[in-house]
Amino acid sequence: MLWRSRSRHSESYAPRSLSVTRASGGSPATDLVFMPRLLVLVVVLMSLLASIHAVRAQKIVYVATDTGADHDNCGDYPAPCQTLIYAAKKTQTGDVLKLFPGTFYGEKNFPLDLTNRATSIVSAVPRAAVIRCRSAIDLKWCIRFSTDQSPDNFDSLPLYQLRDLLFTDFDAVDLILFGSEPQNRTLPHFPRSRAHQTQVARNHVAPVGSLRVDRSGSMSSQRLKRAETLPSTTPLALERDADVWSPPHELALNASALVSGCVFIYPQQHTGRMISSYVDLTMVASLFELIHTTKELIQLYGLESHLRNCTFTNVTAPQLLNCVRGSSSTQNTLLLEDVDFYSVHADVMISADLDTFSLDGVEFSGSSGSLISLQNAVSVHVTDVRVQNSSSSLGPNSPFMEVFGASAQTCTMNLQSVHVSSVVQPVNGSTFVLTDACSLSVAEVSIAPNSFLSLVSTRGGGTPGQDLHLVNVSLFEATTDDVWPAVNWSSSQFEASVSNCHLGRMHFHEPTATGSITLTSSQFFVPSHVDDGGSAIVSVESLGVSVQVSNCSFEELGSQEYNAFSCPPCGHNEHCTTVTFDSKNPSTFYGISIANDDTCELDCSHGACVTKELADSDEFNLPALIAVVSTVGAVIVLVALIALGNHFYQKRKKRTDAYEPINGV
């Protein structure tokens, strides 16, 4: 009985799968439940086995142009191959070509097409492997990395790498090509009108790989497993204006590229690009020197690009870096950290049509040309920029930085820790930042005397939603001119604030604007060289703007008749622009009128406004007088004591000489 009880108990808890082993008693329902599970288990096991067999160790193929030899067994360290083209045939995606010192040139080495082959070219000794690409062998490009395969998982995304190579002696070729160029040579991309994007294919997922580099210099090759969901119709088609583009399958968007420790140098004219990249590009610790090219130095079509610790010196080009909006993502990003421009001459250093732009740690010295020109931007961060002995060189209205936003409601620009020490051959009317459809925050910015730059201007048109905030900004005397004020702002609806600043004139010139202006603890002045009398330091051309002033000073440094504020005339039935002063923190006006009559509605009650003549600075000041008299008196007493001491010394000396013994007696 005990045995039977245990048997029944164990049978009642037996796994269902055991029921199929019995000769009888199994039900068809149980069999139907078991069979699909068994099939799933078999499929999973087969997939795991397939993935295990698919894993392949990275292969390194060595190449020595001077001592190597091309044969079936070449490529190992003891027996390197001699030419790049032959060695590349021994590689697959993910493999490495490692170059011994020497110069690689000629038709046996280039053009080097690495489509579905080695994804890295590395110098065994930094900068000892020299790459020479000449147009004499009819090259269109020198080295091409690409793939026409779609990876099954994110871990197999190729990372194209160039490390520690020296590129020289190139003249008419596109040096490096990452990814496949579209067959029609026109890059498909999303329409610039964001409202238009609702017409483009929804639920299309594009895997993207990228490389992250932190500020310490360490690199992590772990790709971002990121999926981009793109808005659109079905079938996938990108519509822009009247044209319909095919899907971007020609582009190798399922990859990323790294250029590290490379040097590009050539003292003659070059008519090709250094790098054209259709993938995410990271460039670290690389140098471009002695290059004169008639095309863009670097052309980017990728989703995310990052330049860090790079130097451009003695370079002339129409554009150094041109970033075109990519086709597989609505978010395009360009990051520059610790990049230096020395003796660089270009119309525009960085030109980009993208969403996010970051510039951190840049020196612009002995150069000419606009620093950045951005289109359709959403987020712009510029930090720690130094400009010295340089010029925008493009004539009046040419900015060092030009930022046009996608929309004023979404675009923001932060400008922080920027210092301009001198500008060569200044042009009246130039501005440091020209913006439109973008709000601007400026902090810790100084522009030296005689730079003849306005701080910020808007393109005009009264775009609504452009806010302006200035903190700790200094434009010294003679930085503004008789054409452009320090701030030239146009927005139909805005908020502006100025705090702890030293500025010239400010002009808010949208006649239909509504908004507010807050001025706190700042100094405003009219430079001495400005001679258009009758103007104002703060000029507002709208009746819908209110101004709040606290603890500010206004000073006219020249000899013209100036007003601190200028407002549009208002009739008897209209509400004037209001300028309200804080009585607890009064403002002071030196040699300048507060405002014209019948223009601004001023609230200067309870001593909030203090008017002084310029000569008041020399008025009688008892404490200062006491200090001066005390100092002069102390000096007189000191001189008298010295003279008296000298008198007694001479008298004592005469007495001593009178009693001096003669001939020892």
Side-chain angles (χ1 to χ4, degrees):
M1 292 296 295
L2 180 62
W3 175 84
R4 289 183 180 180
S5 175
R6 289 178 179 176
S7 175
R8 286 195 302 268
H9 181 76
S10 59
E11 183 179 357
S12 63
Y13 286 91
R16 291 195 179 191
S17 58
L18 296 179
S19 61
V20 298
T21 61
R22 294 180 299 181
S24 63
S27 65
T30 303
D31 295 341
L32 290 176
V33 171
F34 170 72
M35 292 305 296
R37 294 182 178 180
L38 181 61
L39 291 175
V40 170
L41 180 61
V42 171
V43 170
V44 170
L45 290 175
M46 293 179 64
S47 300
L48 290 175
L49 290 174
S51 63
I52 293 174
H53 287 292
V55 173
R56 174 181 172 273
Q58 183 187 68
K59 180 180 180 181
I60 299 178
V61 179
Y62 291 88
V63 189
T65 186
D66 297 328
T67 59
D70 293 336
H71 53 80
D72 292 342
N73 297 323
C74 74
D76 294 335
Y77 185 87
C81 298
Q82 184 180 30
T83 63
L84 295 176
I85 292 179
Y86 190 90
K89 295 177 181 179
K90 294 178 170 290
T91 64
Q92 299 180 25
T93 299
D95 292 343
V96 178
L97 289 175
K98 198 160 196 175
L99 280 52
F100 286 113
T103 301
F104 295 83
Y105 65 96
E107 59 186 7
K108 292 186 178 181
N109 289 293
F110 308 107
L112 182 60
D113 191 349
L114 296 177
T115 300
N116 300 329
R117 294 189 180 276
T119 54
S120 298
I121 303 179
V122 180
S123 177
V125 179
R127 271 77 69 190
V130 181
I131 305 296
R132 292 178 54 193
C133 295
R134 299 288 295 173
S135 60
I137 57 176
D138 193 24
L139 295 179
K140 292 183 178 179
W141 38 261
C142 180
I143 301 174
R144 172 180 174 177
F145 293 91
S146 185
T147 179
D148 56 14
Q149 301 175 350
S150 298
D152 296 328
N153 57 73
F154 290 102
D155 294 331
S156 61
L157 295 174
L159 172 64
Y160 306 133
Q161 297 187 70
L162 292 174
R163 295 208 308 267
D164 299 327
L165 302 172
L166 173 59
F167 293 86
T168 187
D169 200 18
F170 41 84
D171 60 354
V173 298
D174 289 349
L175 197 58
I176 309 298
L177 178 63
F178 291 114
S180 301
E181 193 173 5
Q183 297 178 358
N184 59 4
R185 300 186 66 84
T186 303
L187 185 73
H189 60 283
F190 282 124
R192 294 189 178 184
S193 171
R194 295 187 178 274
H196 209 71
Q197 291 181 359
T198 56
Q199 302 178 7
V200 204
R202 192 175 302 276
N203 299 328
H204 174 70
V205 177
V208 178
S210 63
L211 186 78
R212 288 292 185 187
V213 183
D214 60 29
R215 287 190 61 86
S216 65
S218 62
M219 290 176 291
S220 172
S221 59
Q222 181 180 4
R223 277 63 171 259
L224 295 179
K225 296 180 173 67
R226 180 178 62 180
E228 304 281 350
T229 301
L230 310 180
S232 106
T233 60
T234 305
L236 177 61
L238 306 181
E239 182 177 351
R240 179 177 182 268
D241 300 331
D243 300 325
V244 177
W245 306 91
S246 59
H249 61 274
E250 303 96 339
L251 304 183
L253 296 173
N254 51 345
S256 57
L258 169 66
V259 177
S260 175
C262 292
V263 175
F264 301 81
I265 179 171
Y266 187 56
Q268 300 183 27
Q269 181 167 322
H270 175 59
T271 57
R273 297 187 181 104
M274 298 293 103
I275 296 175
S276 293
S277 178
Y278 294 86
V279 302
D280 291 354
L281 173 66
T282 297
M283 183 175 294
V284 182
S286 294
L287 170 67
F288 295 82
E289 185 176 10
L290 292 174
I291 297 173
H292 181 192
T293 179
T294 58
K295 288 186 178 180
E296 305 89 349
L297 200 67
I298 302 174
Q299 181 87 358
L300 301 176
Y301 299 92
L303 306 175
E304 180 176 313
S305 299
H306 187 183
L307 274 68
R308 185 182 185 278
N309 195 23
C310 295
T311 301
F312 299 85
T313 179
N314 294 312
V315 176
T316 301
Q319 297 176 349
L320 291 193
L321 185 63
N322 185 34
C323 184
V324 180
R325 185 174 293 274
S327 62
S328 69
S329 173
T330 57
Q331 294 295 322
N332 290 249
T333 301
L334 177 61
L335 310 174
L336 280 83
E337 294 182 82
D338 300 326
V339 178
D340 297 323
F341 301 93
Y342 300 131
S343 298
V344 174
H345 306 283
D347 293 340
V348 180
M349 302 291 170
I350 305 164
S351 177
D353 182 352
L354 43 65
D355 298 277
T356 302
F357 176 81
S358 177
L359 194 68
D360 187 357
V362 170
E363 184 170 348
F364 188 65
S365 178
S367 302
S368 62
S370 293
L371 183 57
I372 60 173
S373 178
L374 306 180
Q375 302 287 334
N376 299 309
V378 175
S379 178
V380 181
H381 299 274
V382 178
T383 305
D384 191 17
V385 175
R386 300 185 182 274
V387 178
Q388 56 184 355
N389 299 321
S390 300
S391 173
S392 61
S393 76
L394 301 180
N397 305 330
S398 57
F400 271 96
M401 299 183 184
E402 181 180 70
V403 179
F404 297 148
S407 71
Q409 286 72 30
T410 59
C411 176
T412 58
M413 178 179 180
N414 294 304
L415 192 68
Q416 184 172 1
S417 187
V418 176
H419 303 281
V420 180
S421 59
S422 61
V423 174
V424 179
Q425 298 177 346
V427 178
N428 289 348
S430 296
T431 185
F432 193 73
V433 178
L434 176 65
T435 183
D436 184 48
C438 195
S439 295
L440 176 63
S441 296
V442 182
E444 305 294 340
V445 173
S446 65
I447 299 179
N450 301 317
S451 295
F452 290 90
L453 285 173
S454 63
L455 173 65
V456 57
S457 297
T458 52
R459 185 167 55 177
T463 304
Q466 297 185 103
D467 296 334
L468 175 66
H469 303 285
L470 309 179
V471 180
N472 295 333
V473 176
S474 296
L475 272 74
F476 299 98
E477 184 189 357
T479 56
T480 57
D481 54 82
D482 57 352
V483 178
W484 293 97
V487 174
N488 190 31
W489 200 254
S490 176
S491 180
S492 60
Q493 184 178 4
F494 70 94
E495 291 183 2
S497 65
V498 178
S499 177
N500 296 309
C501 294
H502 187 86
L503 288 175
R505 295 166 296 156
M506 302 177 65
H507 189 188
F508 299 89
H509 57 83
E510 174 55 42
T512 61
T514 59
S516 63
I517 303 172
T518 303
L519 311 178
T520 306
S521 301
S522 298
Q523 296 175 325
F524 300 91
F525 60 90
V526 180
S528 58
H529 70 280
V530 175
D531 57 3
D532 54 341
S535 297
I537 293 182
V538 179
S539 178
V540 181
E541 295 189 6
S542 172
L543 294 172
V545 176
S546 62
V547 184
Q548 305 287 329
V549 186
S550 175
N551 191 30
C552 293
S553 66
F554 300 82
E555 186 171 355
E556 202 278 309
L557 302 180
S559 58
Q560 300 296 322
E561 294 291 335
Y562 255 80
N563 300 304
F565 294 92
S566 175
C567 309
C570 54
H572 296 290
N573 297 324
E574 293 180 307
H575 181 68
C576 297
T577 298
T578 60
V579 182
T580 304
F581 297 88
D582 185 1
S583 60
K584 295 182 180 180
N585 297 283
S587 297
T588 307
F589 302 84
Y590 294 95
I592 191 170
S593 301
I594 298 177
N596 287 333
D597 295 335
D598 300 328
T599 55
C600 300
E601 183 176 325
L602 303 177
D603 184 0
C604 282
S605 59
H606 306 292
C609 304
V610 179
T611 303
K612 293 185 178 182
E613 297 297 329
L614 289 175
D616 286 351
S617 58
D618 300 326
E619 66 184 359
F620 177 76
N621 190 322
L622 183 59
L625 180 60
I626 293 174
V628 172
V629 171
S630 300
T631 303
V632 174
V635 172
I636 293 174
V637 171
L638 180 62
V639 172
L641 290 175
I642 293 175
L644 185 62
N646 184 62
H647 171 73
F648 283 110
Y649 171 77
Q650 295 296 335
K651 190 174 181 179
R652 181 180 181 84
K653 183 177 181 182
K654 289 180 180 180
R655 289 178 179 177
T656 304
D657 294 341
Y659 290 100
E660 184 177 331
I662 300 175
N663 297 326
V665 179

